[in-house]
Amino acid sequence: MSDSQTADIRSLTLAELKARIEELGEPGYRAKQIFSWLHRKNAVGWEEMSDLPAKLRERLITEVPLREAPVVRRQESAIDGTVKVLFELFDGNLIESVLMHYRFGYSVCISSQAGCRMGCAFCASTLSGLSRNLTAGEMLSQVYAFERELSEGERVSHVVVMGSGEPMENYDEVIRFFRLLAAPEGHKLSLRNMTVSTCGIIPGIRRLSQEGIPVNLAISLHAPNDEIRSQIMPVARKYPMEELLDACRDYFALTGRRLTWEYALIRDINDREEHARELADRIRGITGVVNLIPVNPVKERGLHEPDRDGVRHFQKVLNEHGTEATIRRTLGRDIDGACGQLRRKLVEE
Ligand code: SAH
């Protein structure tokens, strides 16, 4: 087990927690109580765990740190109620997460890394590079923190790993996060309601195909060919589009789960009619849906979104070429909704 996992009690599975408790010379059955407090009842501190003996609680308080990441900034959209928060981790790193309210329930978008090293031209998360990977427990804390704010009986129903960071570069911890969130003794969130998004790290996609968990996969494509893609996504130079699409084909063959293609429309770069046609040709035969996102402008990058008609036209052309496409509702525009924008702002201040 790595140091980060032993340091972070929320990252442990029930079996690992049991071993940890027994190491302390305490009865293993306490693990189930503690796991439930951590993952079902969203406890922040040992003192809350009222069904543990007082002596054990005192011991845990002094011997086992239960790190909570305080919220250092919170912004709520006046338009749609989307909430974005900035957490400060124990080592001073700042990460951001978003809570969105949809008709079907509450969805949380979490970060998987502090910063990012992928270098996408339109993304604010990558502007200061990668600081470090997050642990599974730190990813869970983002979900649980929002859940504590909801009214009695309301729960987070969907989780997307689409905040800062490249989840496939932190593969093991992201998978651990998914499994913990689905644990029957914990939150019991359905794996089918979890989504991981990647900029196209092929080995990660191939591992996920074999992982045997029914989570959803989104691919950040953002271009119809390598020429455009490599201008805005450096990762395209390492993993060419044809190989990426092969991995996606295999993913569907192995899992039977349809993919989401994310496509951020950027004016004069990837938003022409011929781009829509080429995109439809390239992904034909791979079961999936294109999610069109008018790029959220990031002032440092000088990139702009197409106008509303341009977005609709792009969608129409995809449809005419047999490709299903939806336009992402933009939530939280007034609260620095795009990846890494809030963190960036605070760091600049
Ligand atoms: N690294 C992963 C997940 C994090 S980004 C990935 O690349 O998929 C989540 C999504 O937001 C990605 O599709 C990313 O390309 C997109 N994104 C980042 N900045 C954006 C912006 N300014 N406008 C619109 N989408 C953006």
Side-chain angles (χ1 to χ4, degrees):
M1 209 183 286
S2 75
D3 285 343
S4 64
Q5 282 164 21
T6 49
D8 182 0
I9 202 86
R10 224 181 240 99
S11 292
L12 303 183
T13 64
L14 181 56
E16 289 163 352
L17 185 63
K18 185 161 175 274
R20 186 75 205 280
I21 296 297
E22 283 168 354
E23 262 169 43
L24 294 172
E26 300 285 343
Y29 64 82
R30 296 285 178 211
K32 212 165 169 177
Q33 288 169 286
I34 296 172
F35 193 89
S36 165
W37 278 106
L38 291 176
H39 298 278
R40 180 174 297 191
K41 301 182 212 156
N42 300 338
V44 276
W46 295 113
E47 61 287 346
E48 279 176 63
M49 305 188 186
S50 50
D51 55 358
L52 298 181
K55 263 180 104 177
L56 174 57
R57 269 182 279 160
E58 273 159 37
R59 234 194 123 182
L60 292 167
I61 290 168
T62 49
E63 291 177 36
V64 185
L66 222 188
R67 288 171 178 152
E68 208 41 53
V71 171
V72 291
R73 186 65 79 88
R74 183 177 193 283
Q75 294 190 0
E76 186 161 344
S77 166
I79 307 168
D80 52 47
T82 298
V83 181
K84 182 156 197 168
V85 301
L86 198 66
F87 295 101
E88 183 173 348
L89 303 180
F90 73 94
D91 60 357
N93 269 300
L94 299 173
I95 54 161
E96 52 185 64
S97 327
V98 185
L99 174 75
M100 290 156 290
H101 194 183
Y102 291 97
R103 254 170 299 134
F104 56 74
Y106 286 96
S107 178
V108 171
C109 174
I110 66 139
S111 294
S112 56
Q113 297 180 313
C116 184
R117 64 183 194 103
M118 293 293 108
C120 297
F122 43 82
C123 185
S125 298
T126 198
L127 288 169
S128 336
L130 174 67
S131 177
R132 70 166 170 90
N133 281 334
L134 301 188
T135 64
E138 287 169 331
M139 292 182 242
L140 288 165
S141 293
Q142 300 171 55
V143 178
Y144 300 161
F146 278 122
E147 207 160 62
R148 278 181 216 116
E149 289 190 6
L150 300 180
S151 323
E152 189 73 32
E154 286 183 321
R155 306 213 78 190
V156 170
S157 62
H158 291 70
V159 166
V160 296
V161 188
M162 288 193 186
S164 298
E166 171 45 51
M168 295 303 189
E169 292 232 301
N170 188 16
Y171 186 90
D172 291 330
E173 287 296 301
V174 169
I175 298 298
R176 179 178 274 273
F177 161 74
F178 284 147
R179 291 188 195 277
L180 280 166
L181 199 54
E185 308 82 2
H187 194 296
K188 283 208 279 200
L189 194 81
S190 168
L191 287 157
R192 291 171 196 280
N193 290 359
M194 305 180 198
T195 299
V196 57
S197 177
T198 177
C199 64
I201 309 283
I202 294 175
I205 297 169
R206 295 213 172 275
R207 274 183 83 184
L208 188 66
S209 309
Q210 307 277 356
E211 196 63 55
I213 54 170
V215 297
N216 305 295
L217 176 62
I219 306 288
S220 297
L221 215 45
H222 304 324
N225 57 50
D226 280 322
E227 201 191 319
I228 298 175
R229 200 160 188 266
S230 56
Q231 276 171 33
I232 50 177
M233 301 179 74
V235 70
R237 283 174 227 138
K238 183 156 184 202
Y239 298 116
M241 201 160 144
E242 206 43 53
E243 287 170 35
L244 172 60
L245 296 179
D246 279 342
C248 293
R249 242 174 240 115
D250 293 347
Y251 171 86
F252 183 78
L254 283 161
T255 65
R257 300 191 65 75
R258 85 174 187 167
L259 293 116
T260 302
W261 310 105
E262 286 170 276
Y263 197 103
L265 283 161
I266 311 169
R267 198 196 301 165
D268 299 330
I269 296 201
N270 64 3
D271 67 336
R272 296 211 184 90
E273 185 169 326
E274 74 237 38
H275 298 147
R277 281 198 300 265
E278 190 178 357
L279 176 66
D281 288 342
R282 293 294 292 272
I283 60 177
R284 183 163 297 125
I286 312 175
T287 310
V289 55
V290 177
N291 199 198
L292 296 171
I293 315 147
V295 75
N296 217 327
V298 177
K299 72 175 192 317
E300 290 88 345
R301 298 294 196 183
L303 300 173
H304 305 281
E305 66 202 284
D307 59 28
R308 194 73 204 160
D309 287 344
V311 177
R312 287 219 193 84
H313 186 66
F314 201 92
Q315 180 189 33
K316 188 164 153 267
V317 176
L318 285 175
N319 291 163
E320 283 165 5
H321 287 77
T323 300
E324 193 188 331
T326 57
I327 299 174
R328 163 111 38 109
R329 247 174 86 205
T330 45
L331 294 174
R333 275 266 156 139
D334 54 335
I335 54 161
D336 304 298
C339 313
Q341 285 184 353
L342 183 58
R343 174 173 186 258
R344 185 81 195 154
K345 197 157 99 182
L346 205 81
V347 170
E348 273 173 6
E349 283 170 18

